[in-house]
Amino acid sequence: MKKSITTVFVTAAVAAVMGLASCSKDDGKTLYLYNWTYYTPDEVLRDFEKEFDCTVKVDSYASNEEMYSKLRAGAKGYDIVVPSQDYVSIMIGQGMFQEIDQSKMTNKGNINPLVLEKATYDPTMKYAVPYYFGAAGVLVNKTKVPGGNYARDWSIFEDPQFAGHATMMDDMREVMGDALAHLGYDVNSLSDAELDAATKLIQEKWKPNLVKFDAEGFGKSFASGDFWLCHGYAEVVYGEVPEDKWDETIDFFIPQEGGAAYLDSMCILKDSKHAELANEFINYIHRPEVYAKFLDAFNFPCFVNMKAEPYMTSKPMYKASEMDNCTLKVDIGEGLDKFNERWQDIRFAD
């Protein structure tokens, strides 16, 4: 597929949260999907609409926190949401999902057993069906740093040649998790000493080179040449740089020392009014030929649904094996306060 990733992103307008289901008469043939920005290929949605004689409307979010806060604040109208593993665990515990209709899941056998082993919070897919397993990594603008003279681990963020042209994600579990991994600790560590060491590393060695912490706008700044070094999801940058410039411009790698990984899953909200259609959609995604279209749209490697690989036509941005040393961020309960306190110091202290 020789076209820019941005051409396959859903361009549906963001509806007012409280008005999603009330803006028109509910005929039972409209599915409301609440998913990450840049994460739903338009071709897959249009094919599903055609086959099931329905309409899919999409609203998007940039972080788990944004999604969770909206729903806890009382947002209604959504049917499917796609949280990451720690929030899946939290939301299951709070009774925010209804059970998946297993009789509809004729494609569940396509899910990689290795993925389900990682999903310790719901290994039988009672509430959550894996969508994508991935990890953030490092993106370098090769046109700004000729010769590749830089470290290929997390220490790259202390390299002075990137000062004033670097950014890291505005995500405490990602940034602190990677600092912990770089120091040889678990990304889910709750040890005060280890967390303090990670905080010191970020504050004293990484932060001085950063322009800011940025959740999603870094892709445009990378493409414009303002940012030479970014920490983030590969698809955000690849989606902004023209495809014919990828090879000469982008060096993306996931440090072999590991870091924070994520497993996003499709879940049906407790108050969904279109649960039958939602179950059909989740099962549809895991038809091998359909899941291959999802992977192709974003140049993702194949891991969650291995039966899709023969149907793929694109070259992945990275290999699934690069994530071998990455660790899923798990729900750490009240221990999250330890991260929060230190993150406030990192983000706002001079």
Side-chain angles (χ1 to χ4, degrees), residues 155-165 205 208-209 228-229:
S155 70
I156 191 173
F157 285 97
E158 60 191 73
D159 188 335
Q161 71 177 314
F162 295 106
H165 297 282
K205 294 191 175 182
N209 286 336
W228 305 352
L229 171 66

Side-chain angles (χ1 to χ4, degrees), residues 146-203:
N149 185 26
Y150 46 82
R152 298 184 68 80
D153 58 39
W154 294 112
S155 70
I156 191 173
F157 285 97
E158 60 191 73
D159 188 335
Q161 71 177 314
F162 295 106
H165 297 282
T167 183
M168 296 192 79
M169 294 177 69
D170 192 5
D171 185 315
M172 68 180 182
R173 293 295 303 278
E174 287 283 346
V175 176
M176 295 181 67
D178 294 336
L180 285 164
H182 182 62
L183 294 171
Y185 305 136
D186 188 333
V187 300
N188 299 300
S189 175
L190 292 178
S191 161
D192 287 324
E194 293 175 359
L195 287 169
D196 286 344
T199 299
K200 182 177 180 180
L201 171 64
I202 298 166
Q203 286 180 320

Side-chain angles (χ1 to χ4, degrees), residues 5-73:
I5 287 177
T6 53
T7 64
V8 297
F9 291 158
V10 173
T11 56
V14 177
V17 174
M18 299 303 289
L20 272 172
S22 61
C23 59
S24 61
K25 186 176 180 180
D26 186 359
D27 59 5
K29 292 187 175 183
T30 301
L31 180 70
Y32 293 95
L33 174 63
Y34 194 24
N35 200 356
W36 294 81
T37 306
Y38 301 152
Y39 214 30
T40 319
D42 188 60
E43 181 183 9
V44 170
L45 296 188
R46 300 294 81 83
D47 288 348
F48 179 80
E49 289 177 327
K50 186 174 182 179
E51 180 172 337
F52 288 87
D53 186 26
C54 67
T55 300
V56 180
K57 294 189 176 182
V58 182
D59 197 0
S60 61
Y61 51 89
S63 69
N64 283 295
E65 290 78 12
E66 177 187 343
M67 171 275 300
Y68 178 74
S69 295
K70 272 191 178 182
L71 295 177
R72 293 300 293 175

Side-chain angles (χ1 to χ4, degrees), residues 283-310:
N283 188 55
Y284 177 82
I285 289 294
H286 280 295
R287 291 183 189 174
E289 66 276 17
V290 172
Y291 196 75
K293 290 180 181 179
F294 162 65
L295 297 175
D296 282 340
F298 302 103
N299 293 81
F300 284 152
C302 188
F303 183 63
V304 168
N305 183 335
M306 297 301 291
K307 292 183 180 180
E309 193 164 26

Side-chain angles (χ1 to χ4, degrees), residues 321-339:
S321 59
E322 291 186 54
M323 301 182 287
D324 286 349
N325 295 325
C326 293
T327 303
L328 278 181
K329 297 168 292 181
V330 299
D331 173 14
I332 52 178
E334 294 182 358
L336 194 62
D337 289 340
K338 292 189 175 186
F339 279 79

Side-chain angles (χ1 to χ4, degrees), residues 78-99:
Y78 298 119
D79 296 302
I80 296 175
V81 68
V82 191
S84 301
Q85 66 292 329
D86 46 344
Y87 276 81
V88 170
S89 179
I90 291 168
M91 295 166 80
I92 288 175
Q94 294 179 347
M96 295 178 69
F97 302 137
Q98 58 180 276
E99 293 185 17

Side-chain angles (χ1 to χ4, degrees), residues 135 152 252-259 316-326:
R152 298 184 68 80
F252 174 79
F253 61 90
I254 298 173
Q256 284 301 297
E257 58 197 321
M317 295 175 290
Y318 55 97
K319 297 178 181 179
S321 59
E322 291 186 54
M323 301 182 287
D324 286 349
N325 295 325
C326 293

